[in-house]
Amino acid sequence: MNSRAPSFAELFTPKLVTILREGYGLAHLRNDVIAGLTVAVVALPLSMAIAIASGATPAQGLVTAIVGGFFVSALGGSRFQIGGPAGAFIVLVGATIAEHGMDGAILAVLLSGVLLVIAGYLRLGTYVKFIPYPVTVGFTAGIAAIIFSSQIKDLLGLTLTGEEPRPILDKIPALWEALPTLDGMTVTLAVATIAIAEGMKRARPHWPGLLIAVTVAAAATAIFDLNVATIGSQFGGIPASLPAPHLPDLSWAKIASVMPAAVGFALLGSIESLLSAVVADGMTGRRHRANCELVGQGFANVASALFGGICVTGTIARTATNVRSGAHGPIAGILHSVFLLAFVLLAAPLAAYIPLAALAGVLALVAWNMVEKHAFAVLLRASPGDAAVLMSTFLLTMFRDLIEAIVVGFALGSALFIHRMSQTTAVASETPFVSEDRADDADGTRQSYDERTANDPEIVVYRITGAFFFGAAASIGAVLERIADTHRALIVDFAAVPFVDSTAAHTIEGLMHQAARRNVKLVITGAGAAVRRDLAAHGIASPAVAFEASIETALAGLRTGPSASISAGEPVRGSA
């Protein structure tokens, strides 16, 4: 089997190049055209709705999907990824705009793109998969709750006396006070939009239910001249062309002020896009290139910012739609951007009639579908530890901060993992009082119990089983330190230890010095090459420590070797 590590070119070649090298024909193009058009139809209302909910304009949402989506497909490491504005960013983008203004938010998007490119080339994309599952379920549910709460005002047509508060705990009382201003026609449009979209999903699942629902609401608003808030009344419609690219303010002071937001954009973007790529892999059996995907996402965010757009990331719903529509490769994503651009150039005036209530209905459905309800319930029942990680992440996302929620959730998940791993790591000595007379060997075979070892008062044998890392080092170290001055040799078997970390190596180093002070010969058996390298890096090497292939060879050497090498009282050479 070839175990050669992939080259730099293999890791960072965009999937677009890969499919073109494989051969691209008219049949492939036909599939990609159909998929690209289908995804564009889905992305059209979503891009505008997400931008409005984020505090941006609907035109910025379309620019993000057109420009950012193009580069995600052209430069990314997934065959089927569709890029654009995502609901997960609503909270962060909205908070950034409120604190730093639109120019500051656009600068944060540009900087996040640079950070993503750097992260990709540093090959950090490989590590995103280590985020615990309860964390992803918890923050996704928390984001969904925040998205829904942000749409209550437009769903009900409420009129607030001041600015709508962003924190949920402040928002709910403000909305409650404004409840008497509820507008019946707005509620009717919102409910009709949701009903049509859900009805189409059940009756005609392959039809663009969201776009049909929004189109019906817009047509009703225009025909009956309904007095409701629309894109035209709130934003003056959308331009019929793309804006000219330009750089935001790049002063050091501005960069320093928005850098925390940029880090948040990059962190959330990497998580969201790679999760989306994993979903596409699961649906197709393909494999994405994680680090190449981060690089593509980075360039896409830089390009989006240059055109005045907001954050770009891979979007799970649109990517899944792309796969189900029969896409062959990234050209489908590129064509999705082209079709959206055609809408901007040809049909921009019609967007002015779209009621905000209809877009709020779209986002209400998005929020409902974001919540992994079955997974949430399963994790609550799975174990107290998983439930604690899930609920901590969920509640912190809703009531505190998304990045704080991810950090705390990851820390709790890591602590839970460490606890569980420490319980699987054990150390046992050869003793005549063991209830079973056979012990597991490293390769899963069974090794005979040696009563000579158990009854030898001068030689003690300890077997360590499992990963020897900082979570288990303290308990194992306490056992190993019980060696008495009467022992002339201590054998520590590493045959069932897959790896050691620096804390574990430090524990063995301390044991080595302790053995030297007590004139006890220390022998390590069964250690693999990688474990021996890690131990050697901490000074655990011959002649201070003897290394043998197995317990049997170590015992044979101690019993049959020169008497000077095993006699009690001889100092161990090379000890500190």
Side-chain angles (χ1 to χ4, degrees):
M1 179 180 294
N2 184 12
S3 59
R4 178 183 65 84
S7 66
F8 180 89
E10 291 171 330
L11 286 173
F12 294 100
T13 299
K15 285 291 186 174
L16 176 62
V17 175
T18 300
I19 68 151
L20 293 177
R21 285 175 177 171
E22 292 173 353
Y24 192 81
L26 287 176
H28 299 142
L29 177 61
R30 182 175 61 252
N31 291 339
D32 284 340
V33 168
I34 294 172
L37 180 59
T38 303
V39 175
V41 166
V42 172
L44 180 59
L46 282 177
S47 300
M48 293 188 288
I50 290 170
I52 293 171
S54 302
T57 66
Q60 286 178 290
L62 290 173
V63 166
T64 304
I66 293 168
V67 178
F70 176 89
F71 283 100
V72 164
S73 296
L75 302 178
S78 171
R79 285 177 179 255
F80 306 101
Q81 188 82 278
I82 299 295
F89 282 91
I90 289 176
V91 180
L92 284 178
V93 173
T96 305
I97 293 174
E99 183 176 355
H100 301 287
M102 185 58 70
D103 288 343
I106 292 174
L107 176 59
V109 172
L110 188 147
L111 294 175
S112 73
V114 175
L115 292 175
L116 284 168
V117 171
I118 294 173
Y121 283 128
L122 290 178
R123 306 185 185 186
L124 300 181
T126 308
Y127 299 99
V128 173
K129 63 186 177 183
F130 294 122
I131 294 179
Y133 183 56
V135 174
T136 62
V137 174
F139 83 69
T140 301
I143 290 169
I146 293 174
I147 291 174
F148 180 78
S149 70
S150 71
Q151 299 307 301
I152 294 175
K153 174 179 173 290
D154 289 331
L155 285 169
L156 303 180
L158 303 179
T159 302
L160 276 65
T161 56
E163 282 289 321
E164 182 180 358
R166 301 200 70 85
I168 288 183
L169 292 179
D170 298 329
K171 184 193 299 287
I172 299 302
L175 294 174
W176 180 259
E177 289 180 6
L179 198 57
T181 65
L182 180 146
D183 181 69
M185 185 54 66
T186 299
V187 175
T188 301
L189 283 173
V191 172
T193 300
I194 294 173
I196 293 172
E198 281 297 290
M200 296 297 298
K201 181 179 178 180
R202 288 172 169 75
R204 294 289 186 271
H206 298 293
W207 289 19
L210 290 179
L211 183 62
I212 292 173
V214 171
T215 301
V216 169
T221 302
I223 293 171
F224 299 106
D225 194 20
L226 301 179
N227 184 24
V228 294
T230 64
I231 287 179
S233 66
Q234 293 291 107
F235 303 99
I238 60 174
S241 62
L242 291 180
H246 67 282
L247 283 170
D249 177 17
L250 294 177
S251 65
W252 286 113
K254 193 70 171 176
I255 290 174
S257 66
V258 303
M259 184 56 74
V263 173
F265 290 166
L267 176 61
L268 184 57
S270 61
I271 296 171
E272 184 81 3
S273 63
L274 294 182
L275 282 177
S276 178
V278 168
V279 169
D281 289 351
M283 295 176 69
T284 63
R286 298 283 187 172
R287 294 184 62 187
H288 71 283
R289 297 174 183 137
N291 296 303
C292 181
E293 183 65 20
L294 289 189
V295 172
Q297 297 282 335
F299 282 115
N301 276 278
V302 171
S304 177
L306 293 178
F307 283 85
I310 56 176
C311 292
V312 182
T313 187
T315 56
I316 295 176
R318 277 159 271 177
T319 298
T321 300
N322 189 39
V323 172
R324 288 195 295 265
S325 299
H328 175 71
I331 290 177
I334 293 173
L335 290 174
H336 130 271
S337 297
V338 172
F339 289 128
L340 286 176
L341 177 60
F343 170 81
V344 169
L345 298 178
L346 302 176
L350 300 177
Y353 296 103
I354 297 176
L356 298 186
L359 295 181
V362 168
L363 283 182
L365 288 174
V366 169
W368 175 255
N369 292 327
M370 279 180 68
V371 181
E372 300 179 61
K373 294 169 280 292
H374 176 71
F376 201 100
V378 168
L379 288 171
L380 284 177
R381 298 192 303 265
S383 71
D386 287 332
V389 173
L390 172 71
M391 291 307 299
S392 298
T393 308
F394 174 63
L395 294 175
L396 285 171
T397 300
M398 286 183 62
F399 300 115
R400 289 286 297 176
D401 177 76
L402 178 60
I403 302 304
E404 182 179 326
I406 293 175
V407 171
V408 171
F410 183 79
L412 289 176
S414 300
L416 180 62
F417 168 77
I418 291 166
H419 173 68
R420 289 170 174 170
M421 284 292 293
S422 66
Q423 292 181 320
T424 66
T425 309
V427 57
S429 64
E430 294 276 351
T431 166
F433 303 108
V434 174
S435 59
E436 293 181 2
D437 61 358
R438 298 177 72 84
D440 286 332
D441 208 348
D443 58 0
T445 61
R446 310 286 281 180
Q447 189 175 37
S448 297
Y449 163 77
D450 191 339
E451 62 181 12
R452 294 171 302 164
T453 301
N455 292 319
D456 192 331
E458 295 185 339
I459 300 175
V460 61
V461 179
Y462 281 103
R463 300 174 185 267
I464 301 176
T465 304
F468 192 5
F469 72 118
F470 64 91
S475 57
I476 291 179
V479 173
L480 295 178
E481 287 173 0
R482 295 172 188 164
I483 58 173
D485 294 335
T486 56
H487 295 144
R488 63 187 172 94
L490 169 64
I491 299 174
V492 182
D493 184 46
F494 275 72
V497 177
F499 72 88
V500 297
D501 69 356
S502 58
T503 305
H506 179 71
T507 300
I508 298 300
E509 182 186 13
L511 178 66
M512 178 184 72
H513 296 320
Q514 180 179 337
R517 288 193 298 269
R518 297 183 177 183
N519 297 322
V520 175
K521 187 174 184 62
L522 177 62
V523 184
I524 293 177
T525 63
V531 170
R532 289 191 62 167
R533 282 196 302 269
D534 291 336
L535 295 177
H538 288 259
I540 305 166
S542 180
V545 176
F547 285 89
E548 296 290 348
S550 66
I551 295 175
E552 289 70 25
T553 56
L555 289 173
L558 290 171
R559 289 173 179 147
T560 62
S563 59
S565 67
I566 60 172
S567 61
E570 178 189 332
V572 179
R573 292 175 296 168
S575 62

